[in-house]
Amino acid sequence: MAIAGGALLIGQPTIGLAQPNEVLKDHWRNHDGHWSYWHEADKRWYYTDGTHWFFSTGAGWEPYRFDKHFGREGFERGEYKIPPPEAKVVLPKHEVWRPR
Protein backbone atom coordinates (compact mmCIF):
# COMPACT_ATOMS: atom_id res chain seq x y z
CA MET A 1 0.00 0.00 0.00
CA ALA A 2 2.91 2.37 0.70
CA ILE A 3 4.16 1.91 -2.84
CA ALA A 4 0.78 2.83 -4.29
CA GLY A 5 0.56 5.90 -2.04
CA GLY A 6 4.01 7.02 -3.12
CA ALA A 7 3.11 6.51 -6.77
CA LEU A 8 0.17 8.87 -6.40
CA LEU A 9 2.51 11.65 -5.33
CA ILE A 10 4.79 11.33 -8.35
CA GLY A 11 3.87 13.78 -11.05
CA GLN A 12 1.68 15.92 -8.80
CA PRO A 13 2.50 19.65 -8.82
CA THR A 14 4.23 20.95 -5.72
CA ILE A 15 1.91 23.24 -3.80
CA GLY A 16 3.28 26.77 -3.42
CA LEU A 17 5.74 26.65 -6.30
CA ALA A 18 4.95 28.34 -9.57
CA GLN A 19 4.86 26.08 -12.59
CA PRO A 20 6.40 27.20 -15.90
CA ASN A 21 3.97 29.51 -17.73
CA GLU A 22 1.88 29.91 -14.54
CA VAL A 23 0.67 33.47 -13.95
CA LEU A 24 1.41 34.34 -10.32
CA LYS A 25 -1.12 37.20 -10.05
CA ASP A 26 -0.65 40.05 -7.57
CA HIS A 27 0.17 38.75 -4.09
CA TRP A 28 2.13 39.30 -0.89
CA ARG A 29 4.82 36.83 0.16
CA ASN A 30 6.95 36.59 3.28
CA HIS A 31 10.43 35.53 2.19
CA ASP A 32 13.74 35.89 3.97
CA GLY A 33 11.88 37.45 6.94
CA HIS A 34 10.33 40.34 4.96
CA TRP A 35 6.96 40.92 3.27
CA SER A 36 7.22 41.81 -0.40
CA TYR A 37 4.48 42.35 -2.97
CA TRP A 38 4.53 40.79 -6.44
CA HIS A 39 2.82 42.96 -9.05
CA GLU A 40 2.14 40.83 -12.11
CA ALA A 41 1.61 43.75 -14.55
CA ASP A 42 5.13 45.03 -13.75
CA LYS A 43 6.76 41.61 -13.24
CA ARG A 44 8.43 43.10 -10.14
CA TRP A 45 8.60 42.68 -6.40
CA TYR A 46 7.90 45.75 -4.25
CA TYR A 47 8.94 46.39 -0.66
CA THR A 48 8.80 49.26 1.82
CA ASP A 49 10.97 49.66 4.90
CA GLY A 50 8.39 52.10 6.26
CA THR A 51 10.31 55.09 4.93
CA HIS A 52 11.05 54.33 1.28
CA TRP A 53 9.64 52.10 -1.47
CA PHE A 54 11.87 49.71 -3.43
CA PHE A 55 11.47 47.32 -6.36
CA SER A 56 13.35 44.24 -7.49
CA THR A 57 13.22 42.09 -10.59
CA GLY A 58 15.42 39.52 -8.87
CA ALA A 59 18.81 41.21 -9.24
CA GLY A 60 18.75 43.39 -6.11
CA TRP A 61 16.69 46.33 -4.88
CA GLU A 62 16.39 49.85 -6.30
CA PRO A 63 14.41 52.87 -5.06
CA TYR A 64 10.95 52.86 -6.66
CA ARG A 65 10.07 56.08 -8.48
CA PHE A 66 6.46 55.11 -9.32
CA ASP A 67 7.39 54.58 -12.95
CA LYS A 68 5.26 51.45 -13.46
CA HIS A 69 1.70 50.36 -12.73
CA PHE A 70 2.05 49.58 -9.02
CA GLY A 71 0.82 52.42 -6.83
CA ARG A 72 -1.07 54.24 -9.56
CA GLU A 73 -4.57 53.02 -8.61
CA GLY A 74 -6.10 52.27 -5.22
CA PHE A 75 -3.03 53.56 -3.39
CA GLU A 76 -2.83 56.56 -1.08
CA ARG A 77 0.68 58.07 -1.24
CA GLY A 78 -0.03 60.74 1.34
CA GLU A 79 3.05 62.87 1.97
CA TYR A 80 5.55 60.38 0.52
CA LYS A 81 8.33 62.05 -1.43
CA ILE A 82 10.45 60.01 -3.81
CA PRO A 83 14.10 60.36 -2.72
CA PRO A 84 16.21 62.40 -5.16
CA PRO A 85 19.06 60.56 -6.93
CA GLU A 86 21.67 62.17 -4.67
CA ALA A 87 19.95 61.00 -1.45
CA LYS A 88 21.73 58.35 0.59
CA VAL A 89 19.20 55.52 0.71
CA VAL A 90 20.19 52.21 2.27
CA LEU A 91 19.00 49.46 -0.05
CA PRO A 92 17.43 46.32 1.47
CA LYS A 93 19.68 43.28 1.57
CA HIS A 94 17.06 40.52 1.70
CA GLU A 95 16.30 38.48 -1.39
CA VAL A 96 13.00 37.99 -3.19
CA TRP A 97 11.23 34.70 -3.73
CA ARG A 98 11.82 33.14 -7.12
CA PRO A 99 10.03 30.04 -8.34
CA ARG A 100 12.28 27.06 -8.90
Side-chain angles (χ1 to χ4, degrees):
M1 193 59 133
I3 294 173
L8 290 175
L9 294 176
I10 296 173
Q12 295 294 318
T14 306
I15 296 172
L17 294 179
Q19 302 300 316
N21 303 327
E22 179 183 3
V23 176
L24 292 176
K25 300 183 184 173
D26 297 351
H27 68 280
W28 287 93
R29 182 176 296 271
N30 189 309
H31 178 76
D32 204 14
H34 299 272
W35 283 99
S36 298
Y37 184 77
W38 174 258
H39 193 265
E40 182 61 24
D42 296 343
K43 303 282 191 250
R44 289 179 170 180
W45 286 102
Y46 292 95
Y47 169 76
T48 182
D49 61 5
T51 303
H52 300 291
W53 282 93
F54 303 92
F55 78 91
S56 175
T57 55
W61 294 99
E62 295 181 39
Y64 181 47
R65 304 200 182 283
F66 293 88
D67 60 338
K68 293 286 188 178
H69 298 286
F70 177 69
R72 300 239 177 217
E73 294 180 16
F75 185 87
E76 181 68 38
R77 276 195 233 170
E79 298 298 317
Y80 181 70
K81 302 282 189 271
I82 298 167
E86 66 275 3
K88 292 227 174 218
V89 176
V90 178
L91 298 176
K93 299 208 182 297
H94 64 277
E95 300 208 6
V96 296
W97 178 84
R98 287 178 281 216
R100 295 183 181 133

